[in-house]
Amino acid sequence: MLFEVKSVKEAVNIIEENINITDKGFEEVDLFEAAGRVVYSEVQAGEDVPAFNRSTVDGYAVIAKDTFGASEAVPAILEVIGEVKMGEKTELKINQGQAVRIYTGGMLPVNSDAVVMLEYAHPLDDKTLLIEKPVAPFENVIKKGEDMAAGEVLFRKGHTLRTQDVGALAALGITRVKVFKKPKIGIISSGDEVKKPDEKVDMGEIRDVNTYTVFSALKALGAAGIPFGIVRDDFDQIKNTLKLALKNCDAVIISGGSSVGARDLTLKAINSLGEPGLIFHGLSVKPGKPTIFAVVKGIPILGLPGHPVSALVIFELIGRPLVNLLMGRDKDYGSYEILAKCDKDLSSAAGREDYIRVRLEKRGDGLWAVPVLGKSGMICTMSKSDGLLKIPSERVGVSKGEMVEVILLK
């Protein structure tokens, strides 16, 4: 299995086949914490929204048929019998030939079924109104239960709550919601050369970037990242740290130690901890070829390349689908692709997917993807990028001006 490279699609399918999704239970969260969480059980509307027929404009509540045929030349003449103020329950009831002043969001009086906008209604005096344009039944009105009806299934199990969904819950008076517990993902960085960000680095040493970028990526997906620190290139230290992470987490992400070489101990440590061990090693992508995926006693382990850019690219392609599956949502959640024109001629190797960092520019003739060139260890190239331009494995490059697929980076 050593460097029997897989395509991204093959790798994601293999991951899906080899992880056992177990129900970790639920927790109730306040609406302020609900966005991005995954619904655990079906949510139904317990009441109608709105609870009454409501005006969508400022104007006059009327019986629609009283306005039929109205025009500037021959206006309909109605009697104004009162006013509905904002936020008040009205007891008013209108009959044929009558109207009531009303404001946006106001409750329609009994018998009224439409609202004439102010610009088409002209008072002659306090009691007489001229209507210069007809309205259809329920025009400028949201009917009772039209937004959400009592008993309606609003969200099904597995739905990821968005900003607008939180608003819908608030409108129903739901202030707490059952969501899947966050999966706990262990994060390990490895390498003798890796130091903590607050430590002084000497020649040949680098600061730990991957712990923080992976943690942030997990947080954005709604998972709980648990850092286990930096491990040296030492078999026992790698094994013991992995063992601790496996004991306390639902999955583990380790960066570094995935390249073929004399000091590559990660695979050996993984395979020493239990079955089935290594599932695949190597992706047909650039950057990120030396990616590994393993399972130990039901716990998935994703091995990212050590270079920060490669690690982030592989997390987007492989890590995000893995985390989504662990969270009970669709594996494609959080992936955003757009089309743009390529700004330069780019070459690639056949049989390998290439992912080029790009920034997006709006020009007169559309959206352009401008390559941000740099080697895989240059994290600032990701900071300057808006997305990843994908060159498919069956291509040997793309031409300037060609429409290309860009995966947006969030």
Side-chain angles (χ1 to χ4, degrees), residues 44-64:
Q44 292 186 356
E47 59 188 53
D48 290 326
V49 177
F52 52 85
N53 291 345
R54 185 173 66 190
S55 175
T56 61
V57 297
D58 292 344
Y60 289 86
V62 299
I63 296 172

Side-chain angles (χ1 to χ4, degrees), residues 333-350:
Y333 172 82
S335 177
Y336 304 95
E337 294 88 21
I338 62 168
L339 295 177
K341 296 178 181 178
C342 187
D343 185 64
K344 290 181 172 61
D345 292 333
L346 297 172
S347 61
S348 64

Side-chain angles (χ1 to χ4, degrees), residues 184-311:
K184 294 181 289 185
I185 315 293
I187 305 170
I188 304 171
S189 287
S190 69
D192 289 340
E193 77 284 7
V194 182
K195 302 296 180 183
K196 294 179 181 179
D198 58 357
E199 289 184 316
K200 180 181 178 181
V201 292
D202 295 323
M203 296 295 291
E205 296 178 335
I206 59 172
R207 292 189 173 93
D208 179 17
V209 171
N210 293 339
T211 291
Y212 296 88
T213 53
V214 171
F215 182 94
S216 299
L218 290 171
K219 183 177 181 180
L221 287 173
I226 303 177
F228 283 84
I230 302 165
V231 295
R232 299 180 62 81
D233 292 323
D234 175 84
F235 174 79
D236 288 331
Q237 190 175 142
I238 295 172
K239 179 181 177 179
N240 290 336
T241 305
L242 278 169
K243 187 176 181 179
L244 180 63
L246 289 167
K247 181 180 179 181
N248 291 280
C249 299
D250 302 303
V252 179
I253 297 177
I254 181 169
S255 62
S258 56
S259 298
V260 176
R263 303 186 72 185
D264 180 14
L265 303 171
T266 303
L267 290 175
K268 182 181 175 183
I270 289 172
N271 285 328
S272 72
L273 290 169
E275 297 293 335
L278 180 66
I279 303 298
F280 68 76
H281 184 194
L283 293 178
S284 55
V285 301
K286 181 183 179 182
K289 181 179 178 180
T291 298
I292 63 177
F293 177 71
V295 177
V296 173
K297 299 177 181 178
I299 307 296
I301 301 173
L302 177 62
L304 302 178
H307 286 161
V309 171
S310 300

Side-chain angles (χ1 to χ4, degrees), residues 97-233:
Q98 295 179 330
V100 168
R101 181 76 166 89
I102 197 169
Y103 301 91
T104 301
M107 180 180 179
L108 264 68
V110 177
N111 289 341
S112 63
D113 63 358
V115 177
V116 177
M117 296 176 66
L118 278 179
E119 49 261 51
Y120 304 116
H122 302 285
L124 282 180
D125 53 45
D126 290 345
K127 297 292 184 180
T128 309
L129 183 71
L130 300 182
I131 304 297
E132 297 181 345
K133 183 178 181 181
V135 287
F138 296 103
E139 185 173 342
N140 300 321
V141 171
I142 298 179
K143 292 187 285 186
K144 176 183 178 180
E146 185 177 349
D147 193 351
M148 292 177 279
E152 177 185 350
V153 175
L154 197 60
F155 307 120
R156 299 193 181 278
K157 184 174 183 176
H159 176 78
T160 300
L161 292 170
R162 304 163 296 171
T163 300
Q164 56 267 43
D165 300 333
V166 173
L169 292 170
L172 285 166
I174 299 174
T175 59
R176 296 185 68 80
V177 60
K178 290 181 180 180
V179 295
F180 280 92
K181 287 184 177 179
K182 292 183 178 183
K184 294 181 289 185
I185 315 293
I187 305 170
I188 304 171
S189 287
S190 69
D192 289 340
E193 77 284 7
V194 182
K195 302 296 180 183
K196 294 179 181 179
D198 58 357
E199 289 184 316
K200 180 181 178 181
V201 292
D202 295 323
M203 296 295 291
E205 296 178 335
I206 59 172
R207 292 189 173 93
D208 179 17
V209 171
N210 293 339
T211 291
Y212 296 88
T213 53
V214 171
F215 182 94
S216 299
L218 290 171
K219 183 177 181 180
L221 287 173
I226 303 177
F228 283 84
I230 302 165
V231 295
R232 299 180 62 81
D233 292 323

Side-chain angles (χ1 to χ4, degrees), residues 385-405:
S385 300
D386 300 306
L388 301 171
L389 183 158
K390 177 183 177 181
I391 303 179
S393 59
E394 65 271 16
R395 301 288 302 275
V396 291
V398 294
S399 302
K400 182 176 181 178
E402 183 178 343
M403 198 66 74
V404 292
E405 178 183 327

